[in-house]
Amino acid sequence: MADHEASKINHDNHLLLDQPLLRLPYELLRKNFRSAHFTVEKESTTLNKLLKETAKRSLDSKTSPEDVVKNLDAMIAKMRGMKRKLSTYADEETRLYKQLDARVAHLRELSDMHSVEDVKYEAWSRKRLDRLLVDYMLRHGYNTSAQALANERQMHDLVDVETFLTMSKIRESLENGSVTEALAWCNDNKKELRKLQSSLEFLLRCQQYIELLRINTISKSVEAIAHAKKYIAPFQEQYPDEVREMAALLAHRPNDKDLPPKYAAWYSPDRWSKLATTFVEAHNKLLGLPTFPLLHTALSSGLSALKTPACHGTQKTTSSSQPGHSQTSMTSSVCPICSIELNELAKNVPYAHHSKSHLDNDLLLLPNGRVYGQAKLDEYAAKAGLAEGQVKDLVTGEVYSRAALKKVFA
């Protein structure tokens, strides 16, 4: 009965990890609809105005027929332009609905499985792992590898390559010292960023101002003042301290001696990487994407099932190149949580909860306070080639005489 319960699939827990799979297309559909609606409203207003003007002129005897025809041609051109824009939005909507259908079908496959021993579950889990790997690679800039894996596994509709490629492009432009693409993105998402109370646009405008001051010429200083009045002053109520510091930068240039630290920080080249990080955070929050890669979330849940209080002790793994119990030196932990690769990731996850305890028979207490089963000590002593009557600590590698050991249970 216990084995059956352990092998039973918990569908709710699976869906918790796969929330972004459905949420992102939904958010993109909302954004696409808002953009289409804005286009219709804007172009309709222009067309109505042009139509009234054309009708009025057509009744005016002073207006020549050629002028009326010109106005009609302008209206037709406007309508054709609106049609092209709406066709683009329609194509995007079709693509997103196709993605949603594929993702719902992918999750529906899981609903038909009830045990991890089901042969279909292994294939489904492999596909999910591939999805998590693509997500991880896209977040870290390995775009070519991510696209290659998505194409090889034929799961383009299950991953968000286009979204992350756009994000990666803007992030790289910021890291290379350009705010143009990031500002264009802010302009496209102005209302949403305002609702999120994001400081991204303000920081980008400040960086433009700083770069003008960095040139340190009279013409650029005048341009910087005009820029500050137009783009930075409107944020005075939201960021009063930062706006005052921007004004003070006029008197503090990057080459000044004894530049106060708070002003030196604004001129630091590290600000570009901070801006890139701020953009990624705003982008992910806007689209409802997790801050960390889903692969980390999945790994953390698995690590939590293995973690014990001993996993973050003073002893560190000296090498993790030899998997499992085949550590030849036997001075390294055989626990995956204690490995160099996973130890840091597992540091903040909770300890495993075990409803049943599993203890070795004939437990022996070593002089250093560690406890092991006698059979395990004998096995490792034989592998290490120790002399008769000696045992070795599996973790620390310390060697003791068997006479120094004490039985835990008499």
Side-chain angles (χ1 to χ4, degrees), residues 160-371:
D160 305 295
V161 175
E162 291 80 5
T163 299
F164 281 104
L165 285 179
T166 302
M167 182 197 75
S168 181
K169 184 179 179 182
I170 298 174
R171 181 183 60 199
E172 289 175 4
S173 70
L174 286 171
E175 290 172 344
N176 292 329
S178 173
V179 300
T180 305
E181 294 185 1
L183 282 172
W185 183 84
C186 288
N187 187 57
D188 292 339
N189 300 278
K190 186 180 287 289
K191 291 183 179 179
E192 292 76 14
L193 290 173
R194 192 179 295 120
K195 289 179 182 178
L196 295 175
Q197 297 182 338
S198 173
S199 62
L200 178 61
E201 184 181 357
F202 171 70
L203 293 174
L204 292 172
R205 294 299 185 184
C206 288
Q207 194 62 36
Q208 282 184 308
Y209 173 79
I210 290 166
E211 295 308 313
L212 289 171
L213 293 180
R214 198 189 299 276
I215 299 174
N216 201 15
T217 63
I218 295 176
S219 61
K220 290 299 180 182
S221 296
V222 172
E223 188 178 341
I225 293 171
H227 175 88
K229 288 180 179 179
K230 184 176 181 179
Y231 296 112
I232 297 178
F235 290 97
Q236 188 167 4
E237 291 186 5
Q238 293 174 264
Y239 311 103
D241 294 338
E242 289 82 354
V243 171
R244 280 194 292 269
E245 289 180 11
M246 288 296 105
L249 286 179
L250 283 168
H252 298 281
R253 298 308 170 97
N255 296 327
D256 291 352
K257 294 181 179 180
D258 301 324
L259 187 65
K262 67 177 181 179
Y263 299 123
W266 286 107
Y267 287 115
S268 172
D270 294 338
R271 281 193 51 77
W272 287 109
S273 60
K274 292 178 181 178
L275 281 174
T277 302
T278 303
F279 161 72
V280 171
E281 291 173 353
H283 174 273
N284 291 344
K285 191 173 182 181
L286 184 69
L287 296 179
L289 293 170
T291 305
F292 300 101
L294 292 174
L295 183 63
H296 283 190
T297 305
L299 276 173
S300 297
S301 61
L303 294 174
S304 180
L306 300 172
K307 184 180 176 182
T308 67
C311 290
H312 287 90
T314 56
Q315 296 295 330
K316 297 294 182 181
T317 302
T318 57
S319 173
S320 58
S321 59
Q322 296 168 314
H325 292 269
S326 61
Q327 306 274 354
T328 55
S329 66
M330 284 178 283
T331 60
S332 300
S333 171
V334 294
C335 171
I337 308 298
C338 300
S339 68
I340 296 173
E341 294 84 357
L342 299 177
N343 189 265
E344 188 66 26
L345 181 61
K347 187 170 290 185
N348 295 320
V349 302
Y351 294 121
H353 172 72
H354 297 290
S355 57
K356 293 183 179 180
S357 297
H358 302 276
L359 297 175
D360 292 328
N361 295 325
D362 301 325
L363 288 176
L364 297 173
L365 175 67
L366 274 61
N368 62 3
R370 294 180 178 271
V371 177

Side-chain angles (χ1 to χ4, degrees), residues 7 14 30-31 78 85 88 112 120 124 155 168 172 204 211 222 236 248 263 283 287 298 319-320 337 346 373-374 405:
S7 63
H14 278 73
R30 286 181 58 197
K31 180 183 176 183
K78 282 278 185 184
K85 291 179 181 178
T88 302
D112 297 331
K120 295 180 181 178
W124 189 91
M155 57 176 189
S168 181
E172 289 175 4
L204 292 172
E211 295 308 313
V222 172
Q236 188 167 4
Y263 299 123
H283 174 273
L287 296 179
S319 173
S320 58
I337 308 298
Q374 181 175 338
L405 275 57

